[in-house]
Amino acid sequence: MSMHIPFDNSYARLAPVFYSKQVPEVVKSPSLIAFNQDLAQLLGVTPGETDEMAQVFGGNEVPAGAEPLAQLYAGHQFGNYNPQLGDGRAILLGETVGSDGIRRDIQLKGSGRTAYSRSGDGRAWLGPVLREYVVSEAMHALGIPTTRALAAVATGETVWRETGLPGAVLTRVAGSHLRVGSFEIFARRGDTASLKELTKYALQRHYPQAEGPMGLLRAVRDAQSKLIAAWMGVGFIHGVMNTDNSSISGETIDYGPCAFMDVYHPQTVFSSIDRNGRYAYDNQPDIAVWNLAQLASALIQQLDDPQEGVEEATEIVHAMPALMQEHWLQNFRAKLGITTPHDGDLILISDLLGLIAQNQSDFTNTFRALGTDTARDQFTKPVEYDAWQTNWQERMKDEPDPQALMRRTNPAYIPRNHRIEQMITAAVSGDYTPFHRLNQVLAQPFSDQPKNTDLRHPPTPDEVVPATFCGT
Ligand code: AMP
Ligand code: MG
């Protein structure tokens, strides 16, 4: 059977200023590591023979109907504007409209140099490819908007970083790859016509009910607010919330040095390049507002009188913290089994988070254990916890079925950093068993899975991974 992708491309119909056409570079000997059957079905992709899929998802064969291109964008990196980024190691093959009616991008990441590669080699090594595969699929299973992974291919080539490493290509699927930086570039260039064209495109593709640049801004704000609150609820730290990694669709995008917290500490930073903690766990809501403000500045440049837009844009941006807080409260209420809001909920949640931080408890396991007889074990000073628990149980009296709600909001399984590192080490030596196992277990994060409880354990002191590195 031959592979078929029912491409229906829209980005390639936009003016050439938005991208540069580029076919993927050929690799030496592509071999298929993983192919996501469920996602393929959703996209309408008919799988083919393993070797054919390796050729296509390794970049050696351009499938019929694809119109490969690299997208242009700019962005603020750690607060500083970089006027030209773009897909330096990614190529959009095209889009399909899925069985759910949603249009999605199919993109190869690590498929060679493009017009925007600057000094980079356009390649990716196996580690970040498998990390993104596992974490993005886990995120999806957790019910959090995210790009997804359709395939991973080993290229049979060596990629040079500090040392020689096995090369790989990830096939990534996204609602779109439009970023805040996709708009910033045209605003800064004073190219109002392109800015208008892209705004119209984004509205049509993601928010057809919204109208005009301010409608888009409002819609992105709402989507990003939900997203960041969802990250906070599972202890996720993106690590590089630059505006070029901030998606217009409100999906988690560009998994680099991201990580889930084990021990809860609000100022946790994993990324080795984030020396000042700009993108620490607790700073993520503030950064999301900062990023939205950059989008606002860009979008108003297309108004006949940008000054007139300032007031409305400011009001939209200023409403974001309260919106995020509302989603955050809703998420943490659910984590405590609360469906009907009460005034004291914020204090109840904050008190618990304070205890978890003081006790250096595991974020995921503590929430999962609440209401069971192992909850106390999560605390080194359980007496304080006992007092909190008494309050909480009093509060729970009015709740219909808190345990059921908690079991679908507090995951048992998250992609723990030490497990990811162990999985990568095994894969580099040719053993993909841990990779497949992680995918399988993380597909059901809310189920107990008694045979897999080893994957619930926090790292032992010698397993702790203190820092994560960018995918470059
Ligand atoms: P990221 O940190 O993954 O968001 O990437 C930031 C920018 O650097 C994007 O424009 C990437 O396309 C580019 N980039 C990252 N790694 C490479 C690479 N190995 N070769 C070329 N460009 C890259
Ligand atoms: Mg990026």
Side-chain angles (χ1 to χ4, degrees):
M1 190 170 62
S2 190
M3 200 174 107
H4 176 68
I5 305 179
F7 284 109
D8 175 358
N9 306 330
S10 65
Y11 207 82
R13 303 278 92 76
L14 294 176
V17 69
F18 294 106
Y19 52 82
S20 98
K21 298 215 161 178
Q22 176 72 56
V23 290
E25 279 173 11
V26 168
V27 296
K28 205 163 89 192
S29 56
S31 69
L32 191 69
I33 301 167
F35 179 72
N36 190 337
Q37 294 282 357
D38 291 348
L39 180 57
Q41 199 170 14
L42 178 66
L43 297 172
V45 172
T46 312
E49 302 295 340
T50 304
D51 185 55
E52 183 191 6
M53 297 208 283
Q55 296 294 333
V56 168
F57 297 121
N60 286 5
E61 255 174 47
V62 175
E67 294 169 276
L69 58 86
Q71 293 181 327
L72 176 67
Y73 53 85
H76 279 86
Q77 300 181 302
F78 291 90
N80 305 307
Y81 187 65
N82 188 330
Q84 164 124 25
L85 292 164
D87 292 333
R89 56 167 163 176
I91 286 172
L92 177 67
L93 292 179
E95 302 138 36
T96 71
V97 177
S99 54
D100 54 0
I102 296 176
R103 174 180 296 278
R104 292 184 185 83
D105 284 2
I106 302 179
Q107 188 205 59
L108 302 184
K109 189 172 172 185
S111 51
R113 287 179 53 78
T114 73
Y116 316 121
S117 296
R118 296 169 291 161
S119 58
D121 60 1
R123 290 291 173 198
W125 75 275
L126 189 61
V129 166
L130 298 187
R131 168 182 280 272
E132 179 158 351
Y133 196 112
V134 168
V135 181
S136 66
E137 284 302 304
M139 206 68 145
H140 171 73
L142 287 165
I144 299 176
T146 176
T147 61
R148 299 194 58 191
L150 179 63
V153 167
T155 60
E157 293 182 351
T158 300
V159 171
W160 288 95
R161 295 296 177 255
E162 265 117 54
T163 168
L165 295 159
V169 177
L170 176 75
T171 304
R172 175 163 79 175
V173 170
S176 84
H177 286 84
L178 289 175
R179 305 137 192 279
V180 170
S182 311
F183 291 85
E184 286 180 287
I185 191 164
F186 298 105
R188 294 262 178 159
R189 284 180 176 180
D191 180 354
T192 315
S194 299
L195 194 56
K196 282 184 178 163
E197 188 180 347
L198 200 64
T199 302
K200 202 173 130 207
Y201 178 81
L203 279 166
Q204 244 168 29
R205 185 157 174 182
H206 295 299
Y207 307 109
Q209 331 79 304
E211 253 178 71
M214 293 303 108
L216 178 60
L217 184 64
R218 205 173 274 114
V220 174
R221 176 197 64 190
D222 294 352
Q224 283 281 339
S225 297
K226 257 190 208 154
L227 178 68
I228 306 305
W231 288 357
M232 302 304 280
V234 294
F236 177 76
I237 304 163
H238 181 283
V240 212
M241 285 177 72
N242 293 335
T243 57
D244 51 298
N245 295 336
S246 172
S247 102
I248 294 301
S249 68
E251 292 169 303
T252 314
I253 193 172
D254 278 15
Y255 290 84
C258 62
F260 283 73
M261 281 187 294
D262 296 299
V263 168
Y264 174 62
H265 196 285
Q267 277 297 312
T268 305
V269 176
F270 281 102
S271 168
S272 57
I273 55 170
D274 190 4
R275 298 217 169 78
N276 300 314
R278 179 180 170 92
Y279 300 137
Y281 172 75
D282 230 17
N283 284 5
Q284 297 185 121
D286 288 347
I287 293 294
V289 177
W290 195 89
N291 288 350
L292 192 78
Q294 306 316 308
L295 180 64
S297 314
L299 287 174
I300 59 174
Q301 297 307 316
Q302 65 191 283
L303 303 176
D304 292 334
D305 179 5
Q307 268 313 315
E308 271 186 21
V310 170
E311 204 177 317
E312 189 180 359
T314 306
E315 179 203 308
I316 294 171
V317 174
H318 281 180
M320 192 179 188
L323 250 177
M324 253 182 307
Q325 173 73 2
E326 203 39 57
H327 289 299
W328 182 94
L329 251 182
Q330 198 184 341
N331 292 347
F332 277 86
R333 275 192 182 112
K335 289 173 82 67
L336 295 189
I338 302 172
T339 42
T340 46
H342 282 195
D343 283 345
D345 293 342
L346 179 58
I347 297 174
L348 192 69
I349 297 164
S350 305
D351 284 352
L352 177 64
L353 286 173
L355 287 178
I356 300 180
Q358 275 166 34
N359 284 267
Q360 305 232 312
S361 309
D362 184 86
F363 183 83
T364 303
N365 290 349
T366 305
F367 276 101
R368 182 72 177 185
L370 291 178
T372 73
D373 35 352
T374 59
R376 253 186 140 246
D377 306 344
Q378 302 293 328
F379 295 85
T380 45
K381 289 179 259 174
V383 180
E384 289 171 21
Y385 168 72
D386 292 340
W388 180 87
Q389 186 179 259
T390 309
N391 278 341
W392 175 54
Q393 273 164 352
E394 185 60 29
R395 170 70 177 84
M396 281 307 104
K397 279 184 182 152
D398 306 335
E399 291 296 337
D401 193 358
Q403 278 302 328
L405 174 60
M406 290 170 71
R407 294 184 73 72
R408 53 174 199 272
T409 30
N410 295 316
Y413 294 92
I414 51 157
R416 292 187 185 268
N417 224 0
H418 66 295
R419 292 300 185 178
I420 293 175
E421 292 297 325
Q422 289 166 6
M423 171 278 283
I424 292 171
T425 306
V428 167
S429 67
D431 177 11
Y432 292 105
T433 323
F435 166 73
H436 293 298
R437 180 173 179 231
L438 275 183
N439 283 323
Q440 201 176 5
V441 172
L442 292 166
Q444 314 276 341
F446 299 105
S447 106
D448 282 333
Q449 308 185 51
K451 286 201 184 107
N452 295 309
T453 50
D454 58 311
L455 297 182
R456 295 180 61 173
H457 297 156
T460 58
D462 59 317
E463 284 176 331
V464 169
V465 181
T468 46
F469 297 88
C470 251
T472 48

